[in-house]
Each structure stands twice: as structure tokens, then as C-alpha cells.
Amino acid sequence: MNIEQLAEKLKPWMRVDTWHTTHPRDYERFHLALNSAFSEFGNAINYDDFKDAMRYLSEELPSAKLEAEYLTQTIERYASSAETISSYLSDVKI
């Protein structure tokens, strides 16, 4: 997986200052970004690829500049969620 290309698909979500919150709009942007990634790369994207792409973006985007431990935990949480969605889509062949 090309991490930079995956990061580009996640960028519309992570470039918003509130990307890491639990606001419904942030979840909506997250899901739309995942949809874009799955449409481009297929449903089988793993945890490490999501985590690496988010880490890459966190170094690039000013909106992702958060306290290090919080950022790591947040990226891990979203990468896990993305992998769960990926696994579901792969299992049901959507």
C-alpha cells in the first residue's frame, strides 16, 4: 500500500481542526474518507496502513498538531475503527 496515496484519501477528514473529536460531523468526514479510500484501493486495508497514513498526515497538517500521547492514542483508535470497517466490508463483499 502506498501510504502517501492513502493519506491523500484521509486528508479531507484530518485537515479539519476537529478531526479527532467525537462530533457527528467528524465521524461523517471520517466515514466519507474511508469510503474514498476503499473505492480507490479496495476493502482490504490493514491497521498498520491506516495508522501509517494518519501518522504521515499528522506530521504534514497543522490541524493534526496535538499532544504526542493523545495523538498516538487517537490515531490508534481511528486505525482500529477503520480496520474493523474494512474487515466488515471484505466479509460481506460490498
Side-chain angles (χ1 to χ4, degrees):
M1 168 70 49
N2 183 310
I3 297 306
E4 290 84 8
Q5 289 178 338
L6 178 56
E8 280 301 311
K9 297 298 180 183
L10 300 177
K11 194 176 210 175
W13 159 59
M14 283 187 73
R15 73 175 169 215
V16 178
D17 288 343
T18 60
W19 71 271
H20 55 93
T21 72
T22 58
H23 191 278
R25 288 285 210 203
D26 294 313
Y27 278 130
E28 180 182 354
R29 280 188 289 272
F30 173 63
H31 292 137
L32 288 171
L34 291 182
N35 184 55
S36 179
F38 295 140
S39 293
E40 179 80 18
F41 307 116
N43 296 337
I45 304 172
N46 68 44
Y47 171 86
D48 288 326
D49 289 338
F50 282 118
K51 188 173 87 170
D52 292 345
M54 288 182 230
R55 176 62 61 192
Y56 174 83
L57 279 173
S58 75
E59 294 168 1
E60 177 184 312
L61 296 172
S63 64
K65 301 295 184 217
L66 303 168
E67 191 272 329
E69 185 175 336
Y70 175 76
L71 179 62
T72 296
Q73 291 173 351
T74 302
I75 286 173
E76 289 173 355
R77 185 178 77 240
Y78 277 105
S80 179
S81 179
E83 183 181 49
T84 299
I85 294 167
S86 173
S87 178
Y88 169 77
L89 293 174
S90 293
D91 288 349
V92 297
K93 309 289 191 261
I94 292 179

